[in-house]
Amino acid sequence: MITKTNQLDAMPIILSGDGYSLTIDPMAHVRKQRMLSASATIEKVTTNDESGDTRVHLARLSAMRIEVDKCRKEIKEPVLRVGKLIDQAAKDFLAEIEIEEGRIKGLIGDHATEVARLKAIAEAEELKAFEFARAAREAAEESGRIADVLARRKAVAAKLAASDEVASTNIAQGVRFAWDFEVKDLDAVYRAAPEFITLEIKRNDVLRWLKEVESYSESVESVAAMHGIFAFKKTVVSSR
C-alpha cells in the first residue's frame, strides 16, 4: 500500500487506496478554472504594459503546471521504485532459466543445422541420380541394347533411393530457419540501399553549435546554410 506524508496532503493530485485510485483535488480544479477564466479575457497584446500584465497570468498558469508536475513526480517515484524492484526480482529469478533456454535452443539449432546440411547433400545426390536416370533412359531409347536397359533400371532405382533419402531428412517440428543479418559495412549499405538507413538530426548538438558559431561569426545563417541547415531566431517568452 502506498501512503502519503503530510507534505503531500495539500498537493493537487491525490493517490488513495492501494495506489491505484488517482484523483485530482477539488480545490485544484477550482484554482484551474479561475486561472483559465482570467486568462480567457486576454485576446491581444498591443502595448508593453499589456505584455507585462499578460505575463502575470502566464506566470500563474506556469506555476500550476510546475506544481502539478512536481506532485506527479513525487507520487510516481515510489511506484517507479517498486516497479524496478519487481523487474529486478523477476530478472534475477529467471536468469538461470534464460541461460538454460539458450543452451537448449542452441542444441536444437545445432541439430537443425546438421539436418539441413545432410538434406542439402541428399538433394544434390538426388539431382545427380535424376540426371543419370535421364541420360540412361535416353541411351536405352536410342540403342535398345539390353545393357542400356539394365543401366536405365539401375539409374531409376538410384533415383528412387535418393528421393527416399531426401524425404527422410526432415527438420524437427517446431524448428525453422529465419533470415538474420549483421552489418559489416554501414557505408556500403547506405550507398547500395539508402532506404535501409535512418538519419536523425541531433537537435541539442545543433543548437549548441549555433551558439558557438554566433560567438565568432556575424552571419550564423550563412554558416548554417553551408551545412544544409536553415537557422533563425524565434521568440522565447519567459513565464518567470
Side-chain angles (χ1 to χ4, degrees), residues 186-222:
L186 190 61
D187 290 336
V189 174
Y190 181 71
R191 288 192 300 270
E195 66 272 16
F196 293 161
I197 305 296
T198 298
L199 299 178
E200 183 178 355
I201 194 72
K202 296 180 179 179
R203 179 175 174 79
N204 290 335
D205 290 346
V206 174
L207 292 175
R208 279 194 294 269
W209 174 70
L210 290 175
K211 291 181 180 178
E212 292 176 4
V213 173
E214 188 178 28
S215 67
Y216 65 78
S217 174
E218 296 181 355
S219 182
V220 177
E221 295 88 344
S222 299

Side-chain angles (χ1 to χ4, degrees), residues 122-137 155-156 158-164 166:
E123 288 174 345
E125 291 297 324
E126 181 187 39
L127 181 60
K128 287 169 58 178
F130 267 82
E131 290 298 322
F132 182 69
R134 181 184 60 78
R137 176 178 57 79
V156 171
K159 180 184 73 171
L160 293 175
S163 297
D164 289 340
V166 172

Side-chain angles (χ1 to χ4, degrees), residues 3-101:
T3 59
K4 301 189 302 174
T5 64
N6 292 332
Q7 180 185 1
L8 296 179
D9 287 341
M11 287 188 168
I13 301 178
I14 300 174
L15 197 65
S16 60
D18 292 328
Y20 299 102
S21 177
L22 191 67
T23 59
I24 303 295
D25 183 11
M27 288 305 300
H29 278 293
V30 173
R31 290 167 54 202
K32 181 179 107 171
Q33 291 304 319
R34 286 176 180 171
M35 284 188 289
L36 291 177
S37 296
S39 64
T41 62
I42 304 171
E43 297 181 351
K44 184 183 294 186
V45 176
T46 58
T47 67
N48 286 344
D49 288 340
E50 289 181 352
S51 179
D53 292 340
T54 301
R55 287 189 69 250
V56 172
H57 289 280
L58 176 62
R60 290 172 181 167
L61 295 169
S62 300
M64 168 152 267
R65 174 178 52 78
I66 293 170
E67 177 187 354
V68 171
D69 195 53
K70 179 181 177 182
C71 176
R72 174 187 64 80
K73 291 178 180 177
E74 291 189 23
I75 290 177
K76 196 168 73 170
E77 193 277 332
V79 178
L80 293 176
R81 186 167 63 248
V82 171
K84 290 179 181 178
L85 290 174
I86 293 171
D87 291 343
Q88 189 61 49
K91 181 179 180 181
D92 292 343
F93 178 79
L94 293 175
E96 293 177 311
I97 294 291
E98 292 175 350
I99 291 174
E100 191 64 5
E101 276 186 310

Side-chain angles (χ1 to χ4, degrees), residues 217-238:
S217 174
E218 296 181 355
S219 182
V220 177
E221 295 88 344
S222 299
V223 176
M226 294 173 60
H227 290 74
I229 296 174
F230 171 59
F232 60 92
K233 285 195 171 181
K234 65 178 183 180
T235 303
V236 178
V237 180
S238 173

